Amino acid sequence: MNRKRCFLTVGAGLAFLIAFGCASFADNTATSSDIAFTFAPPSGLSFIEKQKTVQTTTGGGMPKMVYTMVNNKKVQITKTDTGYTLVSTPMEVEARFNNRPLPPDMLLTEKVVARQAVHTCSIDDTGRLLAIDGLDTFFKQLKDVVALKYPQGAKRLSDMEPVLKLGVETSIKDDWLDRVTAYTGKTAKIGELWKSQEKMPAYSGNLTVNMRTRFVERVSKGGHDCVLLRFHYATDPNAVKAEIKDAFNDVMTMMNLPSSIKLPKIVAAELSGDGERVIDPETMLVYSETQTLSFTMVMDIPGMGRKGYTTDSKEDYSYEYQQPSN
C-alpha cells in the first residue's frame, strides 16, 4: 500500500525542513460463507486513480506546515496470452505548501516523487507482478531535477542510482503485494483477523511492519459485491530512528553544507498508521481507500535544544472505472 511512499516522503521531507530551518494464516478450503480472492479484471478496462494527500507538521517552535498534493493517473488493463499488462499514465499533479502553489522546480520534484512517469507492469494470470518497465525514464527525470536544483548533489545521486532504482522497484512491487498478491488464492471470513509482518521500503533499507488486517463487512460498490478491510500497522522505533539518521546525513551531503555544521541528534522516532479499503474480491479492483500515518520525532538540535516534531498524514484514494467496450 502507499503508506510506503508516504513514509519516504515524510522522512525525507522532514529532514529537508529541519536542514533548511536549522504472515498471514487462512484456511484455503472455501465454503459458501467464505470470501475468495481472485485476480480477474476485465480486459480493456481503464480507470482513473485520484489520490489526495494532506500532511501537517507541528512542533519544534516552528509554525504549522501543511503540505497537500493531488496526484491523478490513468491505468489501462489489457489481457495477454500469459496474463495482463497494466500501463500507468500520469494525468495531473498539484502540490501546495501552506496553501501556496509550489514553485515550478519543486513541483517537478513532486512529480518525480509521485512516479509521474509512464510505466508498464506485467502480471501473470494469478496476479503476480513479473516485471516493471519505464523506470529508466523515471530516473532520468530524477537526475535532471537534482542537477537543476542541487548541482552539488548530482554526483551523489549518480553513485546511489542503482540502490535508489532498486528501492523504487521494490516499492512498486510491495504496493502490488499489499493490494493484490497477499490476498489472491486465499479465503477469509467476515470478522476474521490476519496478522503478518511485512517489509516497508525506507530511506536506506527496509523496515519491518507489524500488520493487522480485519475483514469487516460486505458492502456494495457500483453494483459489485465488495469487502471492507481495515488495517493497522506499527514499526520498531529504533529502526525508524536509524532510517531518519541516514536521511539527515544524505540531505546534508546533497546540500553541500559546511562540515562545521553539527547534525541534530535523533533521540526518538515512531511511525504507525491505520487505513481501510473497499475491494472487489472477484477482480481485486479497489473502489476506495483511506490511509492515515503518524510520525513523531524528538531531536537534540545544536543551539536550539531538544525539539519534538509530529507529522500527521492522510491519503484518500478514489477510482473512476470505464468498462471496456464490446
Side-chain angles (χ1 to χ4, degrees):
M1 63 186 67
N2 288 326
R3 65 175 184 273
K4 302 173 180 186
R5 286 199 302 273
C6 190
F7 173 71
L8 293 172
T9 303
V10 169
L14 191 52
F16 270 108
L17 289 173
I18 300 303
F20 278 120
C22 356
S24 306
F25 296 94
D27 182 357
N28 288 330
T29 304
T31 68
S32 59
S33 61
D34 285 339
I35 307 161
F37 293 94
T38 306
F39 182 71
S43 180
L45 179 73
S46 64
F47 63 88
I48 296 174
E49 179 188 83
K50 296 183 176 181
Q51 173 193 359
K52 181 178 181 180
T53 301
V54 179
Q55 290 180 358
T56 303
T57 299
T58 56
M62 300 171 63
K64 181 171 72 172
M65 295 172 285
V66 181
Y67 166 83
T68 60
M69 183 177 72
V70 174
N71 176 26
N72 299 338
K73 66 180 180 181
K74 182 176 182 178
V75 179
Q76 178 74 41
I77 303 175
T78 304
K79 186 75 173 71
T80 66
D81 292 339
T82 57
Y84 297 83
T85 60
L86 277 68
V87 180
S88 296
T89 304
M91 295 181 62
E92 173 191 10
V93 170
E94 177 183 318
R96 305 177 74 88
F97 181 74
N98 287 346
N99 207 31
R100 295 183 178 180
L102 292 185
D105 58 341
M106 293 186 68
L107 180 59
L108 182 58
T109 304
E110 294 306 306
K111 288 183 178 181
V112 174
V113 171
R115 298 178 188 158
Q116 282 290 300
V118 177
H119 65 274
T120 300
C121 295
S122 299
I123 315 293
D124 72 9
D125 279 324
T126 67
R128 288 189 307 131
L129 176 56
L130 301 178
I132 306 165
D133 295 316
L135 292 185
D136 289 339
T137 300
F138 176 91
F139 274 93
K140 182 181 184 304
Q141 290 179 320
L142 180 58
K143 286 191 289 187
D144 289 346
V145 170
V146 172
L148 174 66
K149 190 167 181 63
Y150 303 108
Q152 64 273 23
K155 184 180 185 304
R156 171 68 171 162
L157 179 61
S158 294
D159 293 341
M160 294 176 63
E161 181 176 351
V163 174
L164 292 174
K165 186 174 181 179
L166 178 61
V168 171
E169 184 174 298
T170 300
S171 176
I172 295 172
K173 289 180 178 179
D174 283 353
D175 282 350
W176 186 260
L177 172 66
D178 287 342
R179 285 187 169 184
V180 179
T181 316
Y183 300 94
T184 51
K186 297 183 175 70
T187 61
K189 300 179 186 296
I190 295 301
E192 187 173 342
L193 177 68
W194 287 5
K195 298 179 182 180
S196 63
Q197 284 192 333
E198 302 178 7
K199 296 296 184 181
M200 176 188 291
Y203 190 80
S204 60
N206 287 322
L207 289 174
T208 297
V209 180
N210 296 310
M211 287 287 302
R212 296 166 60 91
T213 303
R214 187 174 296 278
F215 302 85
V216 180
E217 62 181 346
R218 293 184 181 271
V219 296
S220 179
K221 282 285 186 179
H224 298 274
D225 184 15
C226 299
V227 178
L228 172 63
L229 312 179
R230 289 202 177 112
F231 41 85
H232 172 79
Y233 57 94
T235 58
D236 177 6
N238 288 328
V240 176
K241 177 180 172 181
E243 287 294 327
I244 298 303
K245 181 179 179 181
D246 288 343
F248 270 118
N249 289 337
D250 279 343
V251 166
M252 295 297 186
T253 299
M254 185 173 292
M255 295 177 65
N256 199 29
L257 296 178
S259 58
S260 58
I261 295 181
K262 295 182 179 179
L263 292 176
K265 179 181 178 181
I266 312 299
V267 178
E270 293 187 17
L271 175 72
S272 62
D274 298 276
E276 64 178 40
R277 179 185 305 133
V278 174
I279 190 169
D280 180 355
E282 294 185 355
T283 60
M284 299 307 297
L285 296 176
V286 177
Y287 283 85
S288 65
E289 183 167 334
T290 298
Q291 297 182 37
T292 60
L293 178 145
S294 180
F295 174 70
T296 60
M297 180 169 62
V298 178
M299 297 184 298
D300 285 333
I301 303 176
M304 297 177 63
R306 182 159 294 186
K307 301 290 183 180
Y309 300 87
T310 298
T311 295
D312 293 313
S313 177
K314 183 179 181 182
E315 293 186 348
D316 289 304
Y317 297 84
S318 62
Y319 297 83
E320 298 178 0
Y321 286 97
Q322 181 179 353
Q323 297 299 325
S325 56
N326 295 325

